[in-house]
């Protein structure tokens, strides 16, 4: 696990290059500040992308049913294992921390394959 601060000049390029790695991930967004306390802005939902627009100084997190924007970004910290990104901490100019937690979606077994496995006798491997 490695936690590192991204330099502002690299934000746009970093999130553009990470879009392929983040495809299929789910994201949860937590917002924390002295005024607000700790709040969950979004429970885990499919992530469509994250971009930084330097003209508007805004980080945009696109989820399945909504978009979460963070304006006046001051710092971005990432927590990663190799190329796998675990979370992103964004600090805005008001001191509000927004933490984007990432995870892979749960994968369920194919119902047809699971049904076929149940029809076989586990001792002999032959169908019942």
């Amino acid at each position: 696990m490695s936690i590192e601060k991204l330099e502002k000049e690299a934000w746009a390029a970093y999130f553009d290059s990470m879009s392929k790695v983040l495809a299929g991930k789910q994201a949860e967004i937590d917002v924390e500040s002295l005024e607000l306390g700790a709040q969950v802005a979004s429970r885990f939902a499919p992530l469509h992308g994250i971009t930084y627009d330097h003209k508007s100084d805004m980080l945009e997190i696109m989820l399945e049913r909504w978009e979460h924007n963070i304006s006046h970004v001051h710092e971005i910290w990432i927590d990663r294992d190799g190329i796998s990104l675990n979370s992103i901490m964004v600090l805005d100019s008001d001191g509000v921390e927004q933490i984007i937690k990432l995870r892979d979606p749960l994968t369920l077994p194919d119902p047809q394959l699971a049904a076929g496995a149940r029809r076989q006798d586990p001792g002999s491997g032959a169908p019942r």
Side-chain angles (χ1 to χ4, degrees):
M1 180 165 67
S2 168
I3 298 174
E4 63 186 84
K5 181 180 179 180
L6 293 179
E7 296 303 319
K8 188 167 188 160
E9 313 74 58
W11 294 350
Y14 179 78
F15 290 111
D16 287 346
S17 68
M18 288 301 290
S19 61
K20 289 182 178 123
V21 176
L22 296 175
K25 295 273 188 185
Q26 292 181 338
E28 177 176 270
I29 303 170
D30 297 337
V31 180
E32 299 177 4
S33 76
L34 291 174
E35 291 178 18
L36 298 172
Q39 299 182 5
V40 176
S42 171
R43 297 268 179 220
F44 281 103
L47 177 67
H48 291 283
I50 301 175
T51 60
Y52 175 73
D53 181 3
H54 68 278
K55 290 180 183 178
S56 62
D57 190 24
M58 185 175 297
L59 188 71
E60 302 169 354
I61 301 108
M62 287 79 64
L63 301 168
E64 185 173 71
R65 293 201 170 104
W66 84 316
E67 188 172 301
H68 183 80
N69 296 320
I70 305 170
S71 55
H72 308 295
V73 178
H74 184 67
E75 292 180 0
I76 296 178
W77 293 79
I78 59 169
D79 173 9
R80 63 188 176 113
D81 291 321
I83 63 166
S84 179
L85 193 57
N86 299 320
S87 65
I88 304 162
M89 193 282 294
V90 181
L91 181 66
D92 69 19
S93 61
D94 292 328
V96 177
E97 286 185 8
Q98 302 194 42
I99 301 165
I100 301 112
K101 298 175 187 174
L102 302 166
R103 73 175 185 193
D104 291 320
L106 296 174
T107 54
L108 300 174
D110 182 335
Q112 292 179 344
L113 293 176
R118 284 194 301 266
R119 282 188 227 126
Q120 291 196 2
D121 181 353
S124 68
R128 290 186 200 180

